[in-house]
Amino acid sequence: WKPVADYIDQQFEQYFRDESGLNRKNIQDNRVHCCIYFISPFGHGLRPLDVEFMRALHQRVNIVPVLAKADTLTPSEVERMKNKIREEIDHYGIRIYQFPECDSDEDEEFKLQDQALK
């Protein structure tokens, strides 16, 4: 995870230097805003490497954990695995991306979709 964390930090530092400079017209924004982290469907939750990687990055970028190859599992296995992963993420104090609340003026279908994603 060290090379990934270093890369993220370098991109933020470069952007900050460019923003602080005199010529700000042609700034390239190569910052990393999100990390989609794939979790193995085999095993019993997060591996120690998963925990350390997400701990190293959760202060730097939004982390979106994704259960890899979920289509190879039954719906009940997917639900069990997701619950186990959520418990472990909470236990280790890892902050993951949370969908924002939708506006109150949104239609009901959108609100239901938003709730399902959460």
Side-chain angles (χ1 to χ4, degrees):
W1 64 86
K2 184 77 170 128
V4 174
D6 289 344
Y7 177 79
I8 292 168
D9 291 341
Q10 288 171 352
Q11 296 308 311
F12 274 99
E13 288 170 14
Q14 182 63 44
Y15 185 79
F16 180 73
R17 280 194 302 273
D18 291 345
E19 268 291 310
S20 301
L22 296 174
N23 186 8
R24 294 184 286 203
K25 290 183 181 179
N26 298 322
I27 295 175
Q28 281 191 320
D29 186 358
N30 293 324
R31 294 176 293 174
V32 178
H33 299 281
C34 181
C35 173
I36 299 174
Y37 192 82
F38 288 91
I39 299 168
S40 174
F42 311 111
H44 303 286
L46 297 176
R47 299 171 298 174
L49 178 63
D50 297 327
V51 172
E52 290 303 315
F53 191 95
M54 287 192 281
R55 275 182 153 174
L57 293 186
H58 78 127
Q59 298 286 356
R60 292 173 168 90
V61 298
N62 291 311
I63 297 177
V64 178
V66 174
L67 184 58
K69 299 181 181 180
D71 58 336
T72 63
L73 304 172
T74 66
S76 63
E77 290 173 327
V78 169
E79 193 61 35
R80 243 182 287 125
M81 189 70 160
K82 286 167 81 174
N83 288 334
K84 175 73 172 157
I85 290 168
R86 281 188 200 113
E87 287 173 11
E88 290 179 349
I89 284 172
D90 288 341
H91 172 74
Y92 290 110
I94 299 168
R95 291 192 331 231
I96 60 171
Y97 180 76
Q98 300 295 324
F99 282 96
E101 295 296 324
C102 61
D103 294 333
S104 58
D105 61 342
E106 296 289 351
D107 62 15
E108 284 303 313
E109 183 179 341
F110 182 81
K111 288 179 182 178
L112 290 174
Q113 288 175 345
D114 183 64
Q115 191 61 35
L117 287 172
K118 289 179 183 178

